[in-house]
Amino acid sequence: MTLPRDGRPADAVLADLEAMRTEDAPVHGGRVLAYVYDAGVPGLPEAGRAALASFGEVNALDPTVFPSVGRIENGLVGWALDLLNGPAGACGLVTSGGTESCVLAVLAARESWRRAGGAGQPVVLMPVTGHAAFAKAAHLLDMRLRTLPVDPVSMRVRVADVSAALAEEGAVVALVVVSAPSYAHGVVDPVGEVASLAAARGVPCHVDACIGGLVLPYLRRLGRDVPAFDLSVPGVRSLSADLHKYGYSPKGASLLLFSDAHYREGAFFAYSAWPGYPVVNTTLQSTKSAGPMAAAWTVAHVLGDDGMLAANRRAIDATDRIVAAVKALPGLRVVGPPDSTLVAIAADGDEGAGGVDPFVLADRMRARHWFIQPQPACGDLPRTVHLTVQPASLATVNEFIADMAEAAAACAGQPWAKVDPGLMAALADLDPATLDAETVAGLLALAGLVGDGPPGLPAESASVQALIEATPPDVRDRLLVGFFSLLFTADR
Ligand SMILES: Cc1ncc(COP(=O)(O)O)c(C=O)c1O
């Protein structure tokens, strides 16, 4: 972009900015079932945005200069510790999002492992259904990630597999991670058993409750059978719960809770051997906006405890109705069953045997202005579509179910999205290390991700999803990086 020589009136600039959102998916209204979390409460987004704007320039780097930061953060952490049964001495911090919370949880574990004399390359052990954020953490922190298979029916990690891996890896295991629930299938791992196995070997357990941490306690209050998953479970040393998910606040806020302050200190960083101000950071960011935490604090207070309960009741009611409806649709099945408000839907039967392709289903739903998220097959886990059901989904649930029924009927007997076997063989032969930018661009064009217009997914994306699924993971990661490299091409 080129800056205008003379500045322009703010109203006109803001109107241009708003105009850029015309192609964005709507963040409210319940038609987008991933990435967004709409409480469906009138006035709530406005309250959050007002706090975000008002605190946008407050620098949360230094709570001694901006004491409001400490008050807001300690308030949010205290609320979450009560909700998630933090024992005496438990503590926490506010981060910018789930990934930052996960990275800092892994950092705290690595530091604790080092303090205890750990030698060699430390290992993070988690089910294959654990979030990619932990792979990123291992990558950034020079640790090895070992993933464990899950039971292909329940989608939960098997306790015996954790036990065997702990024994096999021995003293290099610095952290065991479990999900409550997993993003892909919405099921809670056996937290109690895994944490106790880990504790017996002196290994801390992190519960990734980024997406369920602010839902499950309310589901329990609503009388649901929620397995023990929180800080009251012996062996659980840290837990992440995102405010910008089911805390219904604007993006940029998550909670990372710890069993004790000494363990938390591993996530902190201080450096004062330079001539500038002594730096002490509780998070990866240094200068950071207090806006997201102020917004989360505001949203929590505007909703109140009853409001959170009511919002989560709407979300789980909508989930129940969707689950019941999908179970009744020929050719589809609900994976799991889910433990909270996330639903994964797979084909019931193979191609030609009545099974509906989830990728084709997602396209059909897209044509009806619903976004449900395709998830590729992974080992022996089938391709699925993911639904993040939210309170606002209750108002649209009848329409959603009717559209799902029609879309599934239209997919019945239709061929599944797949890749030509010749192309698959060629993809399998590719070595990601030798892929140059030109080959990557050629492959992306072949996949339909880049063409004449700006890079992006075509409106009908089932064939692209199938291609992504068929490509070996290391090649696919290389191509995805190449795709984003093209997507983020400077406008100059
Ligand atoms: C279970 C889980 N962990 C971690 C994350 C990462 O969170 P974020 O996208 O806020 O970085 C997510 C995101 O959906 C998640 O569902």
Side-chain angles (χ1 to χ4, degrees):
M1 67 184 194
T2 314
L3 290 190
R5 192 180 176 95
D6 297 317
R8 296 172 52 216
D11 284 356
V13 176
L14 288 170
D16 283 357
L17 194 66
E18 272 310 305
M20 288 192 211
R21 290 180 57 177
T22 49
E23 285 171 34
D24 287 0
V27 295
H28 295 291
R31 299 197 78 91
V32 176
L33 287 119
Y35 302 131
V36 299
Y37 305 81
D38 183 358
V41 174
L44 192 69
E46 289 77 7
R49 286 202 293 270
L52 193 66
S54 152
F55 277 72
E57 290 148 298
V58 173
N59 195 342
L61 161 64
D62 193 338
T64 66
V65 177
F66 303 102
S68 63
V69 168
R71 292 189 59 192
I72 293 169
E73 177 151 343
N74 290 336
L76 285 167
V77 169
W79 167 55
L81 286 174
D82 287 345
L83 201 60
L84 292 155
N85 295 313
C91 56
L93 45 91
V94 174
T95 74
S96 65
T99 298
E100 191 180 16
S101 289
C102 297
V103 171
L104 289 170
V106 176
L107 176 62
R110 191 194 69 178
E111 294 308 287
S112 167
W113 177 84
R114 281 187 178 165
R115 279 197 303 267
Q121 190 185 30
V123 168
V124 177
L125 210 59
M126 78 169 183
V128 68
T129 47
H131 197 274
F134 295 95
K136 183 174 184 174
H139 167 70
L140 292 173
L141 300 171
D142 195 19
M143 297 168 76
R144 175 162 63 83
L145 177 71
R146 172 161 173 190
T147 57
L148 301 172
V150 293
D151 177 273
V153 176
S154 73
M155 301 291 173
R156 296 186 180 90
V157 72
R158 285 176 287 236
V159 176
D161 288 341
V162 179
S163 175
L166 276 167
E168 205 180 299
E169 297 286 355
V172 288
V173 183
L175 182 67
V176 177
V177 175
V178 280
S179 309
S182 60
Y183 181 84
H185 307 118
V187 302
V188 177
D189 283 315
V191 176
E193 285 113 309
V194 171
S196 118
L197 277 176
R201 291 180 173 270
V203 177
C205 175
H206 175 79
V207 177
D208 180 9
C210 278
I211 201 159
L214 300 179
V215 177
L216 293 172
Y218 289 102
L219 297 190
R220 189 176 282 151
R221 266 160 60 179
L222 290 169
R224 304 262 165 168
D225 193 14
V226 174
F229 75 97
D230 59 23
L231 286 162
S232 63
V233 175
V236 171
R237 302 295 304 280
S238 57
L239 181 150
S240 46
D242 293 353
L243 294 157
H244 66 194
K245 293 193 171 81
Y246 286 94
Y248 307 112
S249 71
K251 303 293 183 226
S254 165
L255 289 155
L256 176 58
L257 309 178
F258 295 93
S259 59
D260 63 88
H262 185 54
Y263 188 67
R264 178 178 67 170
E265 280 178 12
F268 289 1
F269 176 79
Y271 187 79
S272 50
W274 72 306
Y277 59 96
V279 169
V280 51
N281 294 153
T282 57
T283 59
L284 296 176
Q285 291 177 301
S286 197
T287 280
K288 59 186 178 186
S289 172
M293 67 169 80
W297 188 93
T298 302
V299 165
H301 280 90
V302 170
L303 274 178
D305 199 38
D306 283 354
M308 281 292 288
L309 185 70
N312 290 331
R313 179 188 279 126
R314 288 194 296 280
I316 199 69
D317 284 354
T319 309
D320 287 348
R321 293 186 51 190
I322 291 171
V323 166
V326 172
K327 277 186 177 163
L329 292 178
L332 291 173
R333 69 184 173 90
V334 173
V335 177
D339 286 321
S340 73
T341 51
L342 312 177
V343 182
I345 302 170
D348 190 13
D350 291 332
E351 182 179 17
V356 163
D357 181 356
F359 291 172
V360 179
L361 179 73
D363 277 349
R364 299 260 176 194
M365 289 299 277
R366 194 87 187 245
R368 291 164 187 264
H369 309 291
W370 297 99
F371 177 72
I372 57 177
Q373 191 176 44
Q375 302 187 122
C378 175
D380 59 351
L381 309 181
R383 68 170 69 157
T384 54
V385 278
H386 163 102
L387 275 51
T388 294
V389 184
Q390 43 208 285
S393 305
L394 193 58
T396 53
V397 75
N398 290 337
E399 201 189 338
F400 178 77
I401 289 170
D403 278 344
M404 274 289 275
E406 285 183 22
C411 295
Q414 295 296 309
W416 287 25
K418 54 179 123 24
V419 177
D420 167 74
L423 179 57
M424 240 163 110
L427 289 170
D429 281 346
L430 290 174
D431 174 3
T434 60
L435 284 180
D436 57 25
E438 208 178 318
T439 318
V440 168
L443 287 166
L444 291 173
L446 190 72
L449 289 168
V450 296
D452 294 337
L457 268 183
E460 299 241 315
S461 80
S463 58
V464 179
Q465 304 293 349
L467 189 60
I468 292 172
E469 181 185 84
T471 308
D474 48 356
V475 176
R476 150 166 101 196
D477 292 347
R478 174 72 191 86
L479 294 179
L480 292 172
V481 167
F483 174 48
F484 267 51
S485 202
L486 288 174
L487 197 68
F488 288 103
T489 301
D491 166 18
R492 13 183 358 203

